[in-house]
Amino acid sequence: MILFLAMLDTQEEKSKFAKLYETYRYLLWYVANDILRDPDDAEDAVQETYFALTRHMDKIEDVDSTKTRNFLVTIVKSKAIDILRKKTRGNLEYLEEIEADETWQDALDAYIECEQLNRIVTAIRSLDENYRVVLEYRFLHGLSEKETASILGLTEKNLSVRTSRARKKLKELLEQEVV
């Protein structure tokens, strides 16, 4: 990453690049590896993506936006296909199959869903114990309202109120994280 930072002019660009690198490196590797099926080649595609990004920092406005994520995924997919092209020069049918295959989008969606779930679980675990326990029992462990109320020694009405308050707190935490 030091090499990439040396290629940038301003401290603002360097800071933005570092955040982009930390935020998206695993996602980009995952997408590239899904195409290439080779961890080393996937790492090369990610490095080439970041190299290309040093020339296009002006196109990045918000590091955490969907637009930025899609931009980087498009670049890494292109870089991965270029690497694949070099490796499979004589096998054009295979390359056309890979380029036409949209299963990488399914893999990307699964990765994003997993990341969102991890964010939610982390937020739940940061709640006060009264709220955390309710949400863990109900949604992480899949217990019914009746089972949860019994374990916690609450009436179902009290559990319902606590669950509602816990959801509200969780929503506030997740919204703060996005801002």
Side-chain angles (χ1 to χ4, degrees), residues 98-142:
I98 292 291
E99 287 178 330
D101 184 12
E102 292 300 319
T103 57
W104 73 273
Q105 186 63 44
D106 294 338
L108 175 62
D109 290 342
Y111 176 84
I112 291 167
E113 187 176 315
C114 181
E115 284 297 306
Q116 289 172 339
L117 181 61
N118 287 338
R119 241 182 77 226
I120 292 168
V121 169
T122 300
I124 288 173
R125 291 198 171 132
S126 71
L127 291 171
D128 291 338
E129 185 175 357
N130 285 335
Y131 297 138
R132 178 185 52 78
V133 171
V134 168
L135 292 179
E136 283 180 350
Y137 285 168
R138 293 280 291 125
F139 303 108
L140 298 181
H141 300 299

Side-chain angles (χ1 to χ4, degrees), residues 66-110:
T66 304
K67 182 179 174 184
T68 299
R69 186 193 75 215
N70 291 343
F71 177 66
L72 292 172
V73 167
T74 300
I75 294 172
V76 80
K77 182 180 178 201
S78 174
K79 297 297 181 187
I81 289 172
D82 288 346
I83 290 170
L84 197 58
R85 222 180 242 125
K86 289 175 189 171
K87 289 179 82 168
T88 60
R89 286 178 199 213
N91 193 350
L92 293 177
E93 286 178 22
Y94 175 71
L95 185 58
E96 287 170 2
E97 261 180 55
I98 292 291
E99 287 178 330
D101 184 12
E102 292 300 319
T103 57
W104 73 273
Q105 186 63 44
D106 294 338
L108 175 62
D109 290 342

Side-chain angles (χ1 to χ4, degrees), residues 5-178:
L5 292 176
M7 298 172 74
L8 300 170
D9 296 327
T10 67
Q11 186 59 39
E12 181 184 338
E13 283 183 336
K14 291 177 183 183
S15 205
K16 186 188 291 185
F17 185 89
K19 187 168 182 192
L20 285 164
Y21 185 85
E22 289 301 317
T23 303
Y24 296 107
R25 64 184 173 159
Y26 297 113
L27 170 64
L28 297 179
W29 182 88
Y30 187 83
V31 170
N33 193 53
D34 193 53
I35 293 169
L36 295 165
R37 306 274 189 244
D38 182 317
D40 294 330
D41 287 344
E43 186 62 35
D44 290 344
V46 171
Q47 293 302 316
E48 287 181 31
T49 299
Y50 282 114
F51 179 71
L53 183 60
T54 61
R55 295 185 305 268
H56 300 286
M57 288 298 292
D58 58 316
K59 294 179 181 166
I60 306 293
E61 293 173 19
D62 179 18
V63 172
D64 295 315
S65 73
T66 304
K67 182 179 174 184
T68 299
R69 186 193 75 215
N70 291 343
F71 177 66
L72 292 172
V73 167
T74 300
I75 294 172
V76 80
K77 182 180 178 201
S78 174
K79 297 297 181 187
I81 289 172
D82 288 346
I83 290 170
L84 197 58
R85 222 180 242 125
K86 289 175 189 171
K87 289 179 82 168
T88 60
R89 286 178 199 213
N91 193 350
L92 293 177
E93 286 178 22
Y94 175 71
L95 185 58
E96 287 170 2
E97 261 180 55
I98 292 291
E99 287 178 330
D101 184 12
E102 292 300 319
T103 57
W104 73 273
Q105 186 63 44
D106 294 338
L108 175 62
D109 290 342
Y111 176 84
I112 291 167
E113 187 176 315
C114 181
E115 284 297 306
Q116 289 172 339
L117 181 61
N118 287 338
R119 241 182 77 226
I120 292 168
V121 169
T122 300
I124 288 173
R125 291 198 171 132
S126 71
L127 291 171
D128 291 338
E129 185 175 357
N130 285 335
Y131 297 138
R132 178 185 52 78
V133 171
V134 168
L135 292 179
E136 283 180 350
Y137 285 168
R138 293 280 291 125
F139 303 108
L140 298 181
H141 300 299
L143 298 178
S144 71
E145 202 170 276
K146 188 175 187 174
E147 292 169 321
T148 304
S150 175
I151 290 171
L152 296 176
L154 301 170
T155 65
E156 287 184 47
K157 177 72 176 161
N158 284 346
L159 179 69
S160 179
V161 169
R162 193 176 290 180
T163 302
S164 176
R165 289 178 182 162
R167 284 181 175 178
K168 184 178 177 185
K169 290 281 189 189
L170 179 62
K171 181 180 177 191
E172 289 171 4
L173 273 176
L174 293 171
E175 286 173 349
Q176 286 174 359
E177 188 177 295
V178 171

